[in-house]
Amino acid sequence: MDLDLVLITGMSGSGKSVALHALEDAGYYCVDNLPPELLTAFIALQHEQQATRVAIAMDVRSGVSLPIVPQQLEALRQDGVSLRSLFLDATTDALLRRYSETRRRHPLSRQEGRNDVPEQERVLVQAIELERELLADLRDGADVIDTSLIRPAQLQSYIKALISAPQSRALTLVFESFAFKRGVPLDADYVFDVRMLPNPHYVPALRPLTGRDAPVVEWLREHDDVARMYDDIEQFLSRWLDALARDHRSYVTVAIGCTGGQHRSVFLVEQLARAFGTRWVALKRHRELDAG
């Protein structure tokens, strides 16, 4: 019986518990903070018990054992395990804010009982930077989700969309619209800036609408610059996606940004996902619209 395994890793405070809850709701048997030394034996046990859906969270608390995980994952793939690796990330500022709000200690922080707030923050930043270094190998090859600016409900929907996408040897493409004024997504493999295109925001009748609404779609299609931008992005991706697939990439996130993340970037994400969805698995995210 085939085993569908989802591995959740990422930065402390980035939302791994939310992701595990989403997977549990989707019918996965979930285990938090499994030591890497137990991974192979645990998967063997799941095979014996004829489990079909398992999710495991690993984080920096595993410490010196983390370097063995990439080799373990490759061995599981060779044994026929259907594996999806997800890495949750967030900006340092977002992580600092979350630790401040919850008053939790970072697992790599050794500060105790200090009242010097600036010194505590400095030590926390150092712990976050060290954690990024320790998790770098796990981040490579995983599908990265930037949780800096999204709500728990958004993260749950992103997780469920990824695991519901059909597994294949081909790439899974994630097209993501965003607003530059709120920052570039950390999970982007490619970023395209479309702020130079004609902006429906300045048309009163179109301002409250989005790039998914027919009047905005029709308005943008009337402009040659929009068509040229679409063609340029489409040709670039068409030229290089096969090479990325040959390089054993599982996920590629293409982020398209405009000023507000409402009209131009949303329109292009919708059009590109529709076009590439005929050959590849193509998912859509609208960071600013999904937050509404």
Side-chain angles (χ1 to χ4, degrees):
M1 186 175 295
D2 293 336
L3 176 63
D4 180 6
L5 172 63
V6 178
L7 177 67
I8 302 286
T9 60
M11 299 295 293
S12 302
S14 62
K16 291 189 295 296
S17 61
V18 174
L20 275 181
H21 288 153
L23 290 166
E24 192 171 35
D25 290 343
Y28 283 75
Y29 174 66
C30 298
V31 178
D32 191 12
N33 195 29
L34 181 75
E37 297 92 338
L38 301 180
L39 177 60
T40 301
F42 176 77
I43 295 303
L45 177 62
Q46 298 309 304
H47 277 303
E48 290 179 8
Q49 296 179 344
Q50 296 187 325
T52 57
R53 306 179 105 191
V54 176
I56 297 171
M58 289 184 182
D59 58 36
V60 77
R61 288 173 290 179
S62 297
V64 296
S65 303
L66 288 174
I68 71 174
V69 175
Q71 293 87 348
Q72 290 178 316
L73 299 182
E74 182 57 31
L76 290 174
R77 289 190 178 97
Q78 294 298 324
D79 289 341
V81 173
S82 177
L83 173 64
R84 301 170 193 250
S85 183
L86 307 180
F87 188 99
L88 306 187
D89 206 347
T91 64
T92 298
D93 286 344
L95 295 174
L96 286 171
R97 183 177 65 253
R98 291 170 188 174
Y99 274 101
S100 175
E101 292 171 351
T102 62
R103 298 187 179 274
R104 292 173 51 202
R105 290 184 59 219
H106 191 280
L108 297 181
S109 175
R110 297 177 181 176
Q111 289 287 101
E112 293 193 36
R114 294 197 60 143
N115 295 320
D116 186 343
V117 176
E119 177 64 14
Q120 285 184 334
E121 182 171 308
R122 182 185 67 80
V123 172
L124 180 54
V125 170
Q126 291 175 344
I128 291 171
E129 291 174 351
L130 175 58
E131 184 178 26
R132 289 195 193 281
E133 294 178 13
L134 293 173
L135 297 177
D137 288 342
L138 291 178
R139 194 182 195 278
D140 290 342
D143 182 40
V144 181
I145 301 178
D146 179 7
T147 69
S148 305
L149 297 173
I150 64 175
R151 297 175 292 106
Q154 285 178 265
L155 176 57
Q156 289 184 343
S157 68
Y158 290 176
I159 294 290
K160 291 176 180 178
L162 283 172
I163 64 172
S164 64
Q167 280 278 62
S168 68
R169 295 185 180 275
L171 290 171
T172 293
L173 297 176
V174 180
F175 291 95
E176 181 173 10
S177 67
F178 71 95
F180 270 98
K181 65 182 181 182
R182 299 187 71 217
V184 177
L186 293 178
D187 50 13
D189 295 295
Y190 297 100
V191 178
F192 294 94
D193 183 352
V194 300
R195 287 175 290 184
M196 76 293 292
L197 298 180
N199 192 351
H201 175 80
Y202 297 109
V203 180
L206 301 181
R207 183 174 300 174
L209 305 180
T210 77
R212 294 183 293 198
D213 293 315
V216 175
V217 171
E218 294 171 5
W219 189 87
L220 287 170
R221 282 179 172 167
E222 292 174 356
H223 293 81
D224 292 340
D225 284 348
V226 176
R228 278 193 291 269
M229 177 64 75
Y230 172 89
D231 289 341
D232 287 345
I233 297 174
E234 190 274 337
Q235 290 172 20
F236 173 84
L237 293 176
S238 296
R239 183 175 299 117
W240 291 107
L241 285 178
D242 282 326
L244 287 167
R246 289 194 299 270
D247 194 41
H248 307 293
R249 293 288 296 274
S250 298
Y251 301 93
V252 172
T253 298
V254 180
I256 301 176
C258 59
T259 305
Q262 179 180 342
H263 297 110
R264 296 164 291 181
S265 60
V266 171
F267 167 79
L268 287 168
V269 160
E270 291 286 330
Q271 302 305 310
L272 289 163
R274 183 177 297 112
F276 282 92
T278 60
R279 179 180 178 189
W280 311 88
V281 177
L283 305 179
K284 298 178 292 185
R285 296 179 192 160
H286 298 297
R287 190 180 72 182
E288 320 310 340
L289 298 188
D290 294 342

